[in-house]
Amino acid sequence: MIQLKGITWNHSRGFTSIVACAQRFSELYPEVDIQWEKRSLQAFADEPIDQLAERFDFLIIDHPWAGFAARTKVIQPLNTLLSEAFLKDQEHNSVGRSHESYSYDNQQWALAIDAATPVAASRPDLFEKEGLKFPQTWDDLVELSKTGKVAIPGIPQDTLMSFYMICSTLGEDVCTSKEQVISEKVGLQALKMLRALGEHIKEESYDWNPIKVYEAMTQTDDYVYSPFAYGYTNYSRRGYARKHLKFHDMVDIDGQKLISTLGGTGLAISSKCKESEWASKFAEFAACPENQKGIFFDNGGQPGHRAAWEDDYTNQQTDQFFTATLPALDRAFLRPRYHGHMYFQDRAGAPIREYMMHGGDEVKLLQHLNDIYEESLCVTND
């Protein structure tokens, strides 16, 4: 018996989907047994993948680790394991820049089996019941937030992603210069806009990741709208939660729809894997369009293959989640992936979160972010 182990994250979207693929793969190939373990969403974002690669054959990873992977070689470049035709199909059928997000130094470090970006979600029943105006612009959103019924993912990492989002929407991407995170003009405007929203958000939101936002929106009737949280198709499916969520594209700033920060997850193979041939066969199995539209989706997954996003069946099952949010995926910002960016990501969110909650001197805050960014450019070993 060939035994392989994988590590993913603790949600139906991340766990039951890949476990179902592994189960079916073992039914087709009885000589192979694949076991999956799970970790928290925060650990998924934070825990260095070199430690995981020592213990697991498969890793579900976040794409900012691509630069680290290219430098340390703790996971295998898939160009050496998978056919050129298969990788070309994955590239051609990428949802937004999902496939590209795992490419670095001309190598493909993971397959984008899952695609996501922050999108809007609402409780249509509550909008109707309370006679509220559905927001179309940032100013509309701020006005709606004054009701206390708007929820955001306010933990540091998600707050940082929201900062990236506003900067991109205002016309500048972060971390493109070695001198500063963002220009002073755009950086200060982005911070002030986040504060204008943040001062009306309930304190509990600042302890929430996207999953907790959606649980609060479905398990209680306290919130009617979330303007930008990483989408979870699970909450748009019948029978998954107490109440159904409708997912939408986001509000605009001066006519430009919000450009949110690309997420999703990738399937990588550890350099320590002793069964690379079987591991790559399973990777192809999980990422192929038939299984992405079928067993992966049917067991809670949020596919990364475009065919699944454009499929009638997946959209019927999710109240058109995929067609409604695909434009947001296609314009999403691909966050930095240089070797030291995880150093910046781990430290820059908390001061922005504090400012959104309590206000302060945005000039000093932006300088603090620049200092952290300068340090991150000097990181040589995570």
Side-chain angles (χ1 to χ4, degrees), residues 4-9 14 17-19 21-22 25 34-37 39 44 49 56-63 69 75-79 81-82 86-87 90 98-99 101-103 108-115 263-270 278-288 292 296 304:
L4 298 169
K5 293 198 308 179
I7 181 73
T8 183
W9 48 290
S17 53
I18 199 67
V19 168
C21 288
F25 189 82
I34 304 175
Q35 298 293 322
W36 285 88
E37 296 182 19
R39 54 186 173 145
F44 163 75
I49 63 173
F56 296 96
D57 301 289
F58 296 110
L59 292 78
I60 301 294
I61 67 170
D62 197 8
H63 67 253
I75 55 180
Q76 299 188 49
L78 298 181
N79 312 63
L81 300 175
L82 304 177
F86 180 82
L87 290 175
Q90 292 286 304
S98 296
H99 181 77
S101 71
Y102 301 101
S103 300
Q108 190 70 29
W109 299 100
L111 295 177
I113 62 168
D114 171 292
T265 68
L267 176 59
I269 299 174
S270 168
W278 278 111
S280 24
K281 193 175 185 72
F282 175 74
E284 282 196 13
F285 181 83
C288 76
Q292 286 268 290
F296 185 84

Side-chain angles (χ1 to χ4, degrees), residues 106-254:
N106 299 312
Q107 301 275 22
Q108 190 70 29
W109 299 100
L111 295 177
I113 62 168
D114 171 292
T117 201
V119 293
S122 72
R123 281 279 302 274
D125 58 325
L126 295 180
F127 265 94
E128 182 177 358
K129 178 182 177 181
E130 301 187 24
L132 295 169
K133 177 187 175 185
F134 195 85
Q136 301 294 333
T137 68
W138 186 267
D139 289 342
D140 291 343
L141 169 60
V142 172
E143 191 63 29
L144 181 62
S145 72
K146 294 175 183 178
T147 65
K149 296 179 180 295
V150 172
I152 64 168
I155 61 171
Q157 179 170 331
D158 286 278
T159 304
L160 180 63
M161 298 304 105
S162 298
F163 176 68
Y164 290 175
M165 173 185 68
I166 302 298
C167 291
S168 290
T169 309
L170 292 174
E172 288 185 23
D173 292 340
V174 298
C175 304
T176 58
S177 160
K178 291 191 175 180
E179 283 71 47
Q180 57 189 7
V181 176
I182 195 74
S183 72
E184 183 176 64
K185 178 182 177 182
V186 168
L188 294 180
Q189 184 178 352
L191 290 171
K192 290 176 182 177
M193 291 178 70
L194 286 172
R195 171 58 184 160
L197 174 67
E199 65 179 313
H200 304 297
I201 298 297
K202 290 180 181 176
E203 188 172 343
E204 62 184 3
S205 261
Y206 289 99
D207 293 323
W208 289 350
N209 61 23
I211 294 171
K212 290 185 176 180
V213 167
Y214 296 139
E215 292 292 349
M217 290 182 71
T218 55
Q219 298 306 317
T220 77
D221 295 333
D222 296 339
Y223 296 98
V224 300
Y225 188 73
S226 169
F228 39 78
Y230 284 96
Y232 277 74
T233 176
N234 313 80
Y235 296 93
S236 66
R237 305 189 198 202
R238 180 181 298 176
Y240 184 79
R242 167 183 166 267
K243 291 291 184 176
H244 162 268
L245 292 184
K246 177 71 175 175
F247 286 84
H248 316 262
D249 206 338
M250 295 166 290
V251 301
D252 68 69
I253 297 173
D254 297 330

